[in-house]
């Protein structure tokens, strides 16, 4: 598909690998033909492993490369992010290509980029692109997949696609999925071509760089025609403005765009990270747990983390801290849950969040501080407001810490944390509400006294300010001064080479935590940057 006659070439979707890629180390003994889809799927279990030949190594490497490129949306994983165990099983013939695809599609790498960081509509259209090689046919197909995702969870949605008759008939057990809609197929409408062109974008782009917004929503839900936009990050139209609508020829009208720098064009961390993308300060949610044998420094770090979570990221004076509870926690006579209870029942917590706020704001902050999430419904909020009015402040705080949800989420020794990631059984709007409450890494819950979610919860709608990052501008990954190397902060100064030039000039710097250092260095190198210096920020 790399020739000039390719249907995809004119739209910047040139393929790195010409044609479908297959790999198998099994041979199926002769027997009766499969008469049903179930028999066809089970034929693989009757196969025996063939000997590994020299040519198999080349086929294996091409298959793994094609699988990662297709399923991960052209995002190159680091060595530590690859499914090395599944690769070994595929090479040995223990699993088929379809099972290898299933493994990497269920990986944390895929889940964090194409499920947790995007809306449901975008998640479905990407899963169709990655696993079936086409876009959704209609809104009913989207709705059915979203329902499966909501009821069965992320893995059930992946299994539903890979176990479908369409996947088996199109790719079978040994072929890596590939974009199939660029060539018109019997039974597929003409719109399928436009949709896969809108989803595929270009050869050099990745699905994380396109963003979290659905590319096909207006076409599928409202029937609007699709305009295939020339990919701005690689091509610029020389004679077609506003996109290519499908008439005329696309060849020869696109001129390559020369970037002025090669560092990725911005100073933000890697795209597609759930927490960093919304300014919440870390690439993954940090979880702190009290363990037997913790050192004095580790216990002090746990105490700081507990205050940061329960008190809403404040700066506390010595006189505002619960010193008695700290001593008991350090000695081991108080569990983490009881230490959280002591802080939440303290006079300082009451002064900051109960006496100075309206009841609605107080309740939503209790959910954030003690359960790590936003309220789900108006009924849930009303229940806690009534308890606060009838039974008092102490009963309200204890209702969170003694509830089954707290025990299941955090147990006795884990500090509560912001549960921003989508969980089974939680609606999509819960993600938006969590972002509206979180505000940012550098914000404090004491600066606002009015409710953030009163309209959202009352009307069961998304809050207005969930996607505003004006207050969530601090993207620091960890607090400075820590004794742990992975918790320290470092400033990386990068030189980027202008396109066509020979002189490098410093034009980017990154502030990252030690635990994010590997992924950040990979981000810089993939974009042609050269590291000038790495210094610790004290």
């Amino acid at each position: 598909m790399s020739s000039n006659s390719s249907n995809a070439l004119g739209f910047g979707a040139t393929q790195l690998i010409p044609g479908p890629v297959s790999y198998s180390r099994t041979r199926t003994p002769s027997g009766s033909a499969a008469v049903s889809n179930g028999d066809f799927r089970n034929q693989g279990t009757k196969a025996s492993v063939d000997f590994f030949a020299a040519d198999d190594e080349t086929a294996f490497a091409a298959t793994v490369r094609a699988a990662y490129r297709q399923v991960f949306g052209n995002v190159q994983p680091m060595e530590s992010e690859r499914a090395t165990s599944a690769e070994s099983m595929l090479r040995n013939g223990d699993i088929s290509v379809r099972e290898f695809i299933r493994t990497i599609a269920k990986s944390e790498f895929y889940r964090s980029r194409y499920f947790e960081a995007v809306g449901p509509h975008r998640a479905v259209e990407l899963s169709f692109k990655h696993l079936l090689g086409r876009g959704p046919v209609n809104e009913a197909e989207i709705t059915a997949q979203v329902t499966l995702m909501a009821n069965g969870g992320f893995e059930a949605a992946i299994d539903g696609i890979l176990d479908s008759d369409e996947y088996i008939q199109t790719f079978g057990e040994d072929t890596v999925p590939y974009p199939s809609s660029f060539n018109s197929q019997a039974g597929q409408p003409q719109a399928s071509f436009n949709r896969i062109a809108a989803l595929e974008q270009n050869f050099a782009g990745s699905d994380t760089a396109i963003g979290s917004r659905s590319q096909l929503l207006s076409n599928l839900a409202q029937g609007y025609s699709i305009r295939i936009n020339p990919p701005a990050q690689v091509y610029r139209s020389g004679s077609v403005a506003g996109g290519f609508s499908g008439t005329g020829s696309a060849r020869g009208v696109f001129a390559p765009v020369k970037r002025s720098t090669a560092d990725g064009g911005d100073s933000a961390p890697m795209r597609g990270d759930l927490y960093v993308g919304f300014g919440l300060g870390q690439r993954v949610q940090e979880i702190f747990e009290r363990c037997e044998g913790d050192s004095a420094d580790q216990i002090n770090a746990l105490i700081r983390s507990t205050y940061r979570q329960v008190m809403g990221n404040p700066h506390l004076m010595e006189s505002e801290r619960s010193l008695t509870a700290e001593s008991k926690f350090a000695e081991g006579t108080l569990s983490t849950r009881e230490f959280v209870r002591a802080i939440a029942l303290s006079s300082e917590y009451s002064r900051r969040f109960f006496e100075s706020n309206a009841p609605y704001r107080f309740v939503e902050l209790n959910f954030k501080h003690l359960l790590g999430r936003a309220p789900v419904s108006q009924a849930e909020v009303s229940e806690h407001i009534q308890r606060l009015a009838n039974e008092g402040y102490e009963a309200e705080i204890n209702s969170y810490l003694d509830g089954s949800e707290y025990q299941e989420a955090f147990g006795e020794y884990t500090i509560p944390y912001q549960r921003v990631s989508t969980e089974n059984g939680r609606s999509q709007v819960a993600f938006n509400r969590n972002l509206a409450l979180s505000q940012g890494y550098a914000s404090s819950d004491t600066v606002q006294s009015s409710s953030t979610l009163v309209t959202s919860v009352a009307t069961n709608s998304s809050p207005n300010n969930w996607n505003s990052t004006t207050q969530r501008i601090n993207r620091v990954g960890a607090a400075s001064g820590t004794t742990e190397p992975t918790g320290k902060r470092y400033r990386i100064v990068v030189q980027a080479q202008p396109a066509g030039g020979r002189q490098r000039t410093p034009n980017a710097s990154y502030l990252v935590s030690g635990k994010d250092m590997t992924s950040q260095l990979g981000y810089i190198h993939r974009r042609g940057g050269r590291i000038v210096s790495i210094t610790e920020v004290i």
Side-chain angles (χ1 to χ4, degrees):
M1 294 182 69
S2 59
S3 64
N4 289 333
S5 61
S6 168
N7 294 329
L9 177 60
F11 299 96
T14 314
Q15 298 298 301
L16 175 66
I17 302 171
V21 178
S22 300
Y23 173 79
S24 175
R25 282 203 59 207
T26 59
R27 58 179 186 272
T28 304
S30 60
S32 59
V35 295
S36 67
N37 289 325
D39 292 339
F40 182 81
R41 296 189 189 98
N42 292 330
Q43 281 180 345
T45 62
K46 306 173 185 177
S48 58
V49 178
D50 206 348
F51 293 105
F52 199 84
D55 292 342
D56 291 338
E57 188 66 52
T58 302
F60 169 74
T63 299
V64 170
R65 184 170 66 252
Y68 280 125
R69 173 177 164 78
Q70 172 66 23
V71 178
F72 285 171
N74 204 22
V75 177
Q76 180 64 33
M78 303 292 287
E79 190 66 29
S80 59
E81 297 169 327
R82 295 168 63 103
T84 53
S85 177
E87 289 182 26
S88 298
M89 295 176 68
L90 175 65
R91 187 182 186 278
N92 295 334
D94 298 330
I95 60 175
S96 63
V97 171
R98 181 165 71 109
E99 293 307 314
F100 179 67
I101 296 294
R102 190 192 307 272
T103 300
I104 63 177
K106 289 182 177 181
S107 66
E108 184 61 30
F109 185 97
Y110 188 91
R111 183 187 186 115
S112 63
R113 286 162 174 77
Y114 302 123
F115 181 70
E116 295 173 343
V118 300
H121 205 287
R122 177 66 172 162
V124 170
E125 69 185 27
L126 284 176
S127 64
F128 273 71
K129 172 191 173 183
H130 298 156
L131 304 180
L132 292 179
R134 65 169 177 86
V137 174
N138 51 44
E139 186 63 24
E141 198 171 42
I142 291 280
T143 302
Q145 192 69 7
V146 169
T147 302
L148 176 61
M149 193 181 297
N151 296 333
F154 166 72
E155 295 192 358
I158 298 298
D159 288 335
I161 295 176
L162 293 174
D163 294 334
S164 66
D165 294 339
E166 178 182 357
Y167 184 96
I168 295 295
Q169 293 168 3
T170 306
F171 308 113
E173 288 289 334
D174 303 319
T175 301
V176 177
Y178 56 89
S180 58
S181 295
F182 278 123
N183 296 321
S184 298
Q185 296 181 351
Q188 283 197 0
Q190 175 62 32
S192 297
F193 177 88
N194 301 62
R195 288 172 185 147
I196 193 62
L199 288 177
E200 193 70 14
Q201 292 294 322
N202 59 66
F203 173 76
S206 68
D207 289 336
T208 57
I210 295 171
S212 60
R213 179 175 298 179
S214 171
Q215 304 295 301
L216 305 178
L217 179 60
S218 59
N219 170 258
L220 294 172
Q222 300 173 337
Y224 294 150
S225 61
I226 294 180
R227 294 179 62 84
I228 305 172
N229 296 317
Q233 57 265 56
V234 176
Y235 294 98
R236 177 180 291 123
S237 175
S239 59
V240 180
F244 187 78
S245 60
T247 60
S249 174
R251 301 190 188 100
V253 300
F254 299 114
V257 173
K258 292 184 178 180
R259 301 189 64 92
S260 60
T261 62
D263 70 331
D266 55 37
S267 297
M270 286 182 66
R271 299 178 178 91
D273 293 277
L274 173 61
Y275 291 86
V276 170
F278 292 96
L280 300 185
Q282 59 260 355
R283 293 185 186 277
V284 295
Q285 175 61 62
E286 296 176 308
I287 300 176
F288 300 95
E289 182 179 1
R290 177 71 183 270
C291 300
E292 186 176 354
D294 282 344
S295 65
D297 287 339
Q298 290 172 325
I299 292 175
N300 288 332
L302 291 174
I303 291 173
R304 289 195 302 271
S305 299
T306 307
Y307 276 122
R308 182 174 185 269
Q309 169 64 25
V310 179
M311 298 298 288
N313 200 24
H315 175 74
L316 294 177
M317 304 294 288
E318 188 74 20
S319 58
E320 297 171 330
R321 296 168 58 178
S322 302
L323 298 179
T324 301
E326 285 184 30
S327 299
K328 292 182 178 180
F329 176 71
E331 293 170 357
T333 58
L334 276 186
S335 66
T336 303
R337 182 168 71 103
E338 294 305 318
F339 182 47
V340 169
R341 190 194 307 271
I343 296 176
L345 291 175
S346 66
S347 59
E348 186 60 29
Y349 189 92
S350 175
R351 182 184 69 83
R352 286 172 180 258
F353 305 117
F354 175 61
E355 299 171 7
S356 58
N357 291 330
Y360 207 111
R361 174 66 173 170
F362 175 62
V363 169
E364 71 183 22
L365 286 178
N366 287 342
F367 273 98
K368 174 187 176 183
H369 298 159
L370 304 179
L371 293 182
R373 65 169 176 88
V376 172
S377 63
Q378 183 63 43
E380 193 174 48
V381 173
S382 299
E383 176 187 349
H384 283 274
I385 290 179
Q386 291 177 5
R387 180 180 291 111
L388 179 63
N390 297 331
E391 303 177 33
Y393 174 85
E394 186 172 342
E396 162 67 5
I397 298 297
N398 289 332
S399 67
Y400 299 95
L401 297 168
D402 295 333
S404 59
E405 180 181 356
Y406 184 97
Q407 288 288 351
E408 293 172 0
F410 311 116
E412 199 69 29
Y413 300 104
T414 301
I415 298 172
Y417 54 88
Q418 296 302 305
R419 295 149 62 194
V420 176
S421 298
T422 304
E423 297 175 347
N424 288 341
R426 290 173 61 189
S427 62
Q428 176 65 27
V429 74
F431 175 81
N432 305 64
R433 290 174 183 159
N434 284 338
L435 290 177
L437 276 182
S438 295
Q439 294 298 317
Y441 184 82
S443 66
S444 173
D445 290 336
T446 58
V447 300
Q448 178 181 335
S449 59
S450 59
S451 173
T452 300
L453 304 176
V454 59
T455 302
S456 171
V457 174
T459 60
N460 194 27
S461 60
S462 178
N464 294 329
N465 62 333
W466 75 271
N467 60 347
S468 172
T469 58
T470 55
Q471 298 178 34
R472 297 192 289 271
I473 59 176
N474 191 312
R475 295 171 181 250
V476 175
S480 61
T482 177
T483 59
E484 299 294 330
T486 57
K488 296 180 180 180
R489 289 187 298 162
Y490 300 89
R491 184 180 304 279
I492 306 174
V493 179
V494 178
Q495 284 182 338
Q497 183 175 1
R502 296 183 178 180
Q503 183 178 3
R504 292 177 179 266
T505 56
N507 63 352
S509 65
Y510 302 85
L511 191 64
V512 299
S513 64
K515 67 184 181 64
D516 290 332
M517 181 67 72
T518 301
S519 59
Q520 189 66 41
L521 293 179
Y523 173 86
I524 294 169
H525 290 311
R526 284 197 301 272
R527 284 153 179 79
R530 185 173 69 84
I531 297 173
V532 178
S533 64
I534 301 177
T535 56
E536 182 182 353
V537 178
I538 304 300

